[in-house]
Amino acid sequence: MPIEFGERIRRIPAYPLAAGYDLGQDVAMLASNESCFEPHPDAIAAAHEALAGVNRYPDPSYQPLRQALADRYGVARQRIVLGNGSCDILLSAGEALLEPGAEIVYAWPAFSVYPHLAAASGARAIQVPLDSEDRHDLDAMAAEITVATRLVLVCNPNNPTSTSLGLDAIEQFLARVPRHCAVILDEAYCEFALALGDTYASVELLRRHPNLMLLRTFSKAYGLAGLRVGYGLCGSEDLRAAIDQVRQPFYLNAPAQAAAVQALGHQDEVERRVSHTVSARLELSDGLRGLGCWVADSDANFVWTHLPDPDLEGEIVSGLSERGVLVRAGSSLGRVGALRVTIGTEAENQRFLGAMGELL
Ligand SMILES: Cc1ncc(COP(=O)(O)O)c(C=O)c1O
């Protein structure tokens, strides 16, 4: 007789895992929006040092990282939520806020973990289509908010489409969201976003919106994806406390915390990576446009392109893979005929463009 699992197991969609981790060294890994740069040497050294003490559980209040973030962004420690990657915070927020009868509103296509929140909680998901330029349609999203809405997710810049909205538009939207309803502004890629100005600008919004959380990560610009560290800056302590209430006691390991503190202290390195990424994304976008593809205006560390013929998607993705280049197929992310391509090293980007030239 088969094991009887909870009803929600049938509802929760499987996360579309990237292929190719077993292909060896000579592969351009452009499928998961990681950083092509290794972690800062001081971050590696700090993680090493912390390893020597892992017979103990990590400090459950995570003071060093909490304090470093509080100092950098001027947000009280009690309003900072930490997590084993920002995904961990997202899922915990879903658990804290959602239940059957509640509603969650988000744009689609957006980050592939969002559908998990409604499926796991039994809440109703309202997916609002992106506009014709693959950007969030905030008017359409605002129109979907009802008394039942508990959580709104805005992904800025949006994964997978790379597009972003300026803070004026975000603030006008926030003014239309009732205070009982939490908003998570998912800023996993904010360091790369020219439309946002800098990483402090959106922090200002927290002063006026206690129902807001800015969700961020060390997995992208800071190059610590494998260590799993995310954080959320909250507009109120209540929001942080409710999220922490549903979690396991030790959710962030000590080497990860130590590395994140060091990485945060090396903003010069972050800036260097961001400028490499911004110029490389222009080259990639121009290269793809030159091959006849439509390319979204990217504000992230990846580009999003519609192929000249949507039916080519499968052939192109496998052709790229045969040439040692891994990208994400749009069909696994909610849009047939598109590709999401992470910015890699100079050589990886050239290999991708060269292979696309052969295939198209
Ligand atoms: C929009 C967005 N949010 C959150 C995450 C989760 O990142 P992590 O859990 O590595 O912090 C990702 C990862 O790709 C993402 O694209």
Side-chain angles (χ1 to χ4, degrees):
M1 190 182 278
I3 300 172
E4 237 177 74
F5 294 105
E7 159 76 31
R8 62 191 189 147
I9 289 302
R10 281 187 284 278
R11 295 191 304 250
I12 296 175
Y15 179 75
L17 294 174
Y21 279 84
D22 51 354
L23 291 181
Q25 288 297 306
D26 190 29
V27 173
M29 302 285 271
L30 308 183
S32 295
N33 296 348
E34 298 139 330
S35 170
C36 59
F37 299 105
E38 287 171 7
H40 193 283
D42 289 354
I44 300 176
H48 264 282
E49 201 178 312
L51 272 177
V54 294
N55 51 314
R56 303 286 178 201
Y57 285 115
D59 158 14
S61 60
Y62 308 103
Q63 280 310 327
L65 182 55
R66 211 178 278 284
Q67 190 62 54
L69 289 165
D71 292 344
R72 178 164 166 78
Y73 291 112
V75 173
R77 286 190 313 240
Q78 299 81 344
R79 290 200 274 118
I80 298 177
V81 59
L82 301 174
N84 181 34
S86 56
C87 252
D88 180 32
I89 300 172
L90 198 54
L91 296 177
S92 300
E95 212 178 322
L97 289 155
L98 301 175
E99 59 197 348
E103 292 177 359
I104 171 173
V105 175
Y106 53 89
W108 197 252
F111 183 35
S112 32
V113 166
Y114 295 169
H116 186 115
L117 274 68
S121 61
R124 195 158 87 91
I126 317 289
Q127 298 187 336
V128 180
L130 298 172
D131 71 11
S132 58
E133 300 287 308
D134 279 354
R135 291 172 308 209
H136 277 58
D137 183 344
L138 293 179
D139 283 338
M141 288 178 72
E144 292 294 348
I145 295 173
T146 69
V147 284
T149 313
R150 288 268 182 85
L151 179 58
V152 178
L153 304 173
V154 178
C155 192
N156 198 42
N158 186 41
N159 176 10
T161 63
S162 77
T163 50
S164 67
L165 298 171
L167 285 183
D168 288 354
I170 299 282
E171 176 125 51
Q172 280 167 23
F173 174 73
L174 289 171
R176 297 170 71 182
V177 179
R179 286 289 160 101
H180 74 265
C181 170
V183 180
I184 296 183
L185 190 55
D186 186 342
E187 298 190 317
Y189 303 97
C190 63
E191 290 85 0
F192 305 103
L194 303 182
L196 294 182
D198 59 35
T199 53
Y200 295 102
S202 54
V203 177
E204 275 300 303
L205 299 176
L206 297 174
R207 292 184 204 282
R208 296 182 288 281
H209 301 281
N211 53 338
L212 175 66
M213 184 210 291
L214 307 178
L215 184 66
R216 296 180 174 185
T217 182
F218 283 87
S219 299
K220 311 295 176 184
Y222 290 94
L224 297 180
L227 279 177
R228 316 296 300 118
V229 190
Y231 64 98
L233 305 175
C234 300
S236 64
E237 195 176 332
D238 286 359
L239 187 52
R240 195 274 309 150
I243 291 170
D244 276 349
Q245 209 169 330
V246 301
R247 330 181 66 187
Q248 57 151 330
F250 302 103
Y251 45 76
L252 178 57
N253 70 71
Q257 182 186 192
V261 170
Q262 280 302 319
L264 195 66
H266 286 285
Q267 289 300 320
D268 46 343
E269 179 58 21
V270 176
E271 278 169 28
R272 196 180 66 80
R273 291 164 181 211
V274 168
S275 12
H276 161 90
T277 305
V278 169
S279 54
R281 84 181 171 211
L282 283 175
E283 277 174 37
L284 264 194
S285 304
D286 287 349
L288 282 166
R289 288 185 183 118
L291 293 170
C293 301
W294 177 86
V295 185
D297 284 330
S298 173
D299 225 5
N301 68 341
F302 56 93
V303 295
W304 173 250
T305 180
H306 294 184
L307 296 168
D309 174 359
D311 291 340
L312 290 175
E313 183 194 292
E315 211 175 293
I316 299 252
V317 171
S318 51
L320 286 171
S321 161
E322 281 155 21
R323 290 161 177 78
V325 182
L326 295 179
V327 302
R328 273 308 168 99
S331 54
S332 70
L333 302 170
R335 180 70 54 82
V336 177
L339 298 181
R340 191 194 69 190
V341 188
T342 307
I343 312 293
T345 61
E346 192 61 44
E348 289 172 332
N349 300 338
Q350 288 311 322
R351 193 197 295 192
F352 164 73
L353 281 178
M356 285 296 280
E358 283 169 32
L359 291 161
L360 276 173

